[in-house]
Amino acid sequence: MTARSRSNNRASDKLREVTFQTGIAPQASGSVLISFGRTQVLCAASIEEGVPRWMKEQGVTGGWLTAEYSMLPYSTAPRKQRDSSRGKIDGRSTEIQRLIGRSLRAGIDLEGLGSRTLWVDCDVLQADGGTRTASITGASVAIALACNKLVKEGKLAKSPVSRQIAAVSVGVVGSEVLLNLDYPEDRDAEVDLNLVMTGDLEFIELQASGEENVFGDSQLATMLDYGRRGISELVVRQEEILAASLC
Ligand code: UDP
């Protein structure tokens, strides 16, 4: 079988072009505009003093991290109606924001954050597949920037961020395993896998579904292999951006 041709002649195990632009939302404590090819997500981390009421009621100490995700109306064609005008929250957005929050909590010592809430806002500027994975990868950097700011301001002795978290999609399209799918690939995918990992390549979350077809051990192994390679590259990029921000 001939391999599917990918845009820009991308090899099956290659990421799209990845860029990080920091400081994009100056009112936030940390912000990043991340691009995975044409997918672009604004990731902003804002710090609020205090924690949710349930933490106080349950006697949970330390801080909290919570995430919100939405696609801006003009991120898709045709235009996507805002939840506020529809009058209800999209189930997909709810599922994605929970995934983002869970994933990012694995990279931070909440006790070390003190009695603060880290709000993570991920707003999709342009959607072309992989918006949840771009959100996690960009927001991880935004959080580190926000926590570095707390240290710089003398509010914390050390950053509670213990590691970078990155995420990438992998799929099976026409029996071929492809890394970091764009929308046309995602639409045609028989199997869809979203992988969230630490820089040490430990799993945080693995969401694999045989949407159109079942998949076997060897395809899963290839998906994980491609995914790990993608995550390794993303974490190197995250660390570079953070190191540059300290200069
Ligand atoms: N998409 C869209 N409108 C929607 C939901 C999704 O145009 O309401 C497109 C968009 O390009 C998105 C892709 O479908 O990136 C794949 O969506 P999925 O739910 O798999 O999430 P993602 O891959 O973005 O994490």
Side-chain angles (χ1 to χ4, degrees), residues 112-151:
L113 180 62
S115 183
R116 297 184 176 90
T117 301
L118 244 172
W119 287 93
V120 176
D121 288 292
C122 297
D123 290 289
V124 179
L125 200 58
Q126 184 158 263
D128 185 30
T131 61
R132 73 194 70 197
T133 54
S135 297
I136 292 166
T137 308
S140 181
V141 174
I143 289 169
L145 292 172
C147 290
N148 288 347
K149 190 164 177 239
L150 280 179
V151 174

Side-chain angles (χ1 to χ4, degrees), residues 47-194:
I47 292 167
E48 201 174 81
E49 294 297 320
V51 290
R53 203 168 66 183
W54 66 264
M55 286 184 71
K56 292 182 210 150
E57 284 170 359
Q58 294 178 25
V60 180
T61 56
W64 188 240
L65 182 157
T66 191
E68 294 192 357
Y69 164 100
S70 81
M71 293 173 89
L72 290 164
Y74 46 86
S75 66
T76 63
R79 179 182 187 272
K80 189 176 163 74
Q81 199 182 12
R82 284 182 202 273
D83 286 346
S84 54
S85 27
R86 276 192 338 140
K88 64 174 182 178
I89 296 183
D90 184 348
R92 173 179 171 275
S93 299
T94 307
E95 177 200 324
I96 293 178
Q97 64 195 28
R98 288 207 178 120
L99 167 70
I100 297 170
R102 275 197 308 275
S103 301
L104 296 171
R105 283 193 289 273
I108 184 163
D109 166 21
L110 290 172
E111 200 65 51
L113 180 62
S115 183
R116 297 184 176 90
T117 301
L118 244 172
W119 287 93
V120 176
D121 288 292
C122 297
D123 290 289
V124 179
L125 200 58
Q126 184 158 263
D128 185 30
T131 61
R132 73 194 70 197
T133 54
S135 297
I136 292 166
T137 308
S140 181
V141 174
I143 289 169
L145 292 172
C147 290
N148 288 347
K149 190 164 177 239
L150 280 179
V151 174
K152 213 168 158 194
E153 290 168 352
K155 293 182 181 159
L156 282 179
K158 79 184 231 317
S159 172
V161 171
S162 48
R163 54 195 170 188
Q164 283 299 293
I165 306 296
V168 76
S169 67
V170 201
V172 179
V173 188
S175 315
E176 198 188 354
V177 175
L178 299 180
L179 178 67
N180 195 208
L181 286 75
D182 62 19
Y183 175 65
E185 293 169 341
D186 187 275
R187 187 192 52 210
D188 295 345
E190 292 136 44
V191 181
D192 189 21
L193 186 152
N194 286 299

